[in-house]
Amino acid sequence: MNTTPTNEPDRILVVGRSPSVLVATVDILRAKGYTADATNQFDRVLDDYDVTDLDVLVFGGMVPADTKQYLREEVSKRNPQVSFVQGLAGIAGVIAAQVEAANSDERRGPDGAEIAYDVVRRCVQLALKEPARVSVEALWVTSFMPPEPESTSTRVFEGNPEAGFHVIPLPERVPLEASFITVAVDDLVRVFTVGAMPNAVTRMVPTSANDKRLPEVGKVTTSSNDH
């Protein structure tokens, strides 16, 4: 899938917690042609980054609700055109695909492909009006232990199907919780939740910026000048 912008690269900032996930997400996005940075210094976002130049601001799942609300309000004041994306999981590939999905919506034509996920049958459904380049990947969390979640992935499908209706089943090894699929049809990207995050994980989310229930992590503040 070619997601490299044609003019100026889209500028992405990921605000999250896990150092390894943040760094990996930046690496993926930069490799795809975006100007991407990430930070887990929530109180330094407005000082460390020029938010007037942002296209997309992504929030990780462990960012406290009051912090997200404050940053939404302040960034929107400075940059009314910015888009906000709520990360589905601490998986770099999922977060990067969500950014691509947000951007591909703007490029989608009226006669584009239709992409759906059948929860009951656990399969991807594609309605293609013409032959297309298709890639389907499943990703899921393998360890929820803070401070660094771990995950794995598997390529479900990669090929160039003809126009028509296609069904792509998920393999049984994709678990029923904390699992996701990314679907790319040419430049159109979609991300679907296969299995929701367990309650034990969602209860870890800090209730406020002063909530210290999670262990300390190493500081991350990347600069696109390093790229």
Side-chain angles (χ1 to χ4, degrees):
M1 175 179 55
N2 180 14
T3 57
T4 302
T6 55
N7 297 309
E8 283 293 316
D10 286 344
R11 302 189 67 88
I12 317 298
L13 178 62
V14 183
V15 179
R17 187 170 183 280
S18 164
S20 64
V21 174
L22 291 174
V23 171
T25 302
V26 165
D27 287 345
I28 293 172
L29 289 172
R30 288 179 176 177
K32 291 180 177 291
Y34 295 95
T35 298
D37 284 306
T39 181
N40 58 10
Q41 302 303 292
F42 305 152
D43 59 343
R44 295 286 309 171
V45 170
L46 300 176
D47 297 316
D48 292 340
Y49 298 97
D50 179 11
V51 298
T52 64
D53 201 28
L54 283 181
D55 294 295
V56 180
L57 177 57
V58 183
F59 291 116
M62 292 299 166
V63 179
D66 59 349
T67 299
K68 287 189 289 188
Q69 181 63 29
Y70 172 75
L71 289 176
R72 279 179 176 270
E73 293 174 355
E74 292 302 315
V75 173
S76 294
K77 290 177 185 177
R78 296 162 170 78
N79 181 359
Q81 304 303 316
V82 70
S83 297
F84 296 97
V85 172
Q86 176 58 58
L88 293 173
I91 303 175
V94 171
I95 298 170
Q98 287 187 261
V99 171
E100 292 183 276
N103 285 341
S104 69
D105 280 344
E106 299 178 0
R107 297 193 298 269
R108 184 186 182 192
D111 296 324
E114 296 295 332
I115 306 172
Y117 175 65
D118 187 319
V119 176
V120 176
R121 296 179 175 84
R122 280 176 46 104
C123 64
V124 175
Q125 298 177 336
L126 305 176
L128 306 180
K129 296 183 181 297
E130 57 187 28
R133 192 170 62 257
V134 175
S135 176
V136 180
E137 184 176 20
L139 309 94
W140 61 93
V141 178
T142 57
S143 173
F144 301 101
M145 292 298 294
E148 294 286 9
E150 297 179 0
S151 62
T152 190
S153 64
T154 186
R155 183 71 63 183
V156 176
F157 178 85
E158 184 132 23
N160 298 275
E162 296 296 323
F165 185 75
H166 303 271
V167 176
I168 303 172
L170 297 191
E172 291 185 3
R173 64 187 294 244
V174 179
L176 295 175
E177 69 174 13
S179 52
F180 308 85
I181 49 173
T182 65
V183 184
V185 178
D186 290 333
D187 290 337
L188 180 63
V189 178
R190 288 286 181 268
V191 181
F192 298 97
T193 298
V194 175
M197 301 295 286
N199 291 334
V201 174
T202 57
R203 286 196 294 267
M204 294 181 186
V205 179
T207 57
S208 71
N210 296 321
D211 187 335
K212 304 300 182 183
R213 71 180 64 188
L214 295 174
E216 293 294 325
V217 296
K219 294 182 179 180
V220 173
T221 304
T222 73
S223 171
S224 54
N225 295 328
D226 298 335
H227 181 42

